[in-house]
Amino acid sequence: MKETLRIISAEAVVPGVLKVVWNDRYEGVVDLRGILREGEILSSLRDPVQFRKLRVAQYGHSIYWGEEGDEDVDFGCDRLRELAEEQAELIRRAS
């Protein structure tokens, strides 16, 4: 049986960019800068100090900003993995 994908750790590398490690040992960089430019709900994350305050949710199903149970913004584990893999493939093709 395949283990459920979970985030083990996440950290801000530079404003808008994360390094994420999953429980299957995949490590990826996720560039959220394009996403963060859109919409008012994400405006607080454009502040580098706020962006660094990310947290991994209990059980690793997402990352979030705000207080647990009252998250201002969150990104799910699976979507972050998709973004990491897509962005890694773009870099691979460009090099």
Side-chain angles (χ1 to χ4, degrees):
M1 185 172 163
K2 187 176 176 182
E3 188 175 353
T4 301
L5 192 62
R6 300 202 185 280
I7 296 169
I8 294 175
S9 67
E11 64 179 296
V13 178
V14 297
V17 180
L18 304 170
K19 178 182 176 189
V20 182
V21 179
W22 286 267
N23 61 334
D24 64 355
R25 300 179 190 236
Y26 183 86
E27 294 183 21
V29 174
V30 182
D31 187 342
L32 297 173
R33 291 176 291 189
I35 294 170
L36 297 180
R37 281 189 214 108
E38 301 175 16
E40 199 55 35
I41 194 167
L42 302 173
S43 64
S44 67
L45 300 183
R46 295 180 202 135
D47 174 359
V49 173
Q50 281 301 111
F51 187 77
R52 285 192 302 268
K53 293 181 180 180
L54 74 111
R55 299 175 184 191
V56 176
Q58 187 177 13
Y59 309 117
H61 59 83
S62 65
I63 61 167
Y64 68 94
W65 291 263
E67 298 300 318
E68 189 167 1
D70 187 26
E71 296 88 359
D72 294 332
V73 177
D74 68 338
F75 288 90
C77 176
D78 294 334
R79 181 62 182 140
L80 288 169
R81 179 61 170 264
E82 288 173 6
L83 290 169
E85 290 177 351
E86 288 169 7
Q87 292 170 7
E89 179 62 17
L90 286 173
I91 291 169
R92 187 191 67 75
R93 287 183 179 193
S95 44

